[in-house]
Amino acid sequence: QVQLAESGGGLVQAGGSLRLSCAASGRTFSSVGWFRQAPGKEREFVGTIGWSGSGSAINYAAFVKGRFTISRDNAKNTVYLQMNSLKPEVTAVYYCAASQLVVALQYYDYGYWGHGTQVTVSS
């Protein structure tokens, strides 16, 4: 089984930055995605990155608008979500997930999930 562990969340003031980490282990997978879920809202796609191969594409949700960056460190089996210029609207629990699909854009494309890390942006 694939195991995922998010870290790096916390409380940050508006305009600040956070870098979330997703450490992966276990069975091989083809891509890793980031999702977020705010209270009372559905889980929302943030972005995804291919795991195997250096040429794997990165896809972002439209709301990212260049403020979020997904990267990976294969040596550390870790995927990162760098979030800059944070606004209170970003507040949510952020999850990483692993998929057997090379390109996975929907939550149901992912079979493995971390437990999430809370991101809170204050005014």
Side-chain angles (χ1 to χ4, degrees):
Q1 298 293 321
V2 174
Q3 296 182 354
L4 305 170
E6 304 96 334
S7 62
L11 175 64
V12 63
Q13 293 182 336
S17 300
L18 285 174
R19 188 181 73 166
L20 307 184
S21 299
C22 174
S25 62
R27 295 173 60 87
T28 59
F29 47 88
S30 297
S31 62
V32 173
W34 285 98
F35 292 79
R36 68 181 185 182
Q37 187 166 23
K41 297 184 179 180
E42 297 182 5
R43 191 168 301 180
E44 182 180 27
F45 174 77
V46 175
T48 184
I49 184 171
W51 184 255
S52 300
S54 60
S56 298
I58 299 174
N59 293 284
Y60 296 104
F63 72 83
V64 169
K65 299 179 180 180
R67 296 191 297 270
F68 295 179
T69 301
I70 296 176
S71 61
R72 71 187 188 196
D73 187 335
N74 289 354
K76 298 181 179 180
N77 292 327
T78 300
V79 173
Y80 302 98
L81 179 65
Q82 179 70 45
M83 303 186 294
N84 300 321
S85 302
L86 291 171
K87 299 179 179 180
E89 293 76 19
V90 171
T91 296
V93 177
Y94 283 73
Y95 300 88
C96 68
S99 177
Q100 300 299 312
L101 302 178
V102 176
V103 178
L105 305 178
Q106 306 293 333
Y107 71 91
Y108 47 78
D109 291 330
Y110 294 85
Y112 308 95
W113 295 84
H115 292 128
T117 184
Q118 177 71 47
V119 172
T120 302
V121 182
S122 65
S123 301

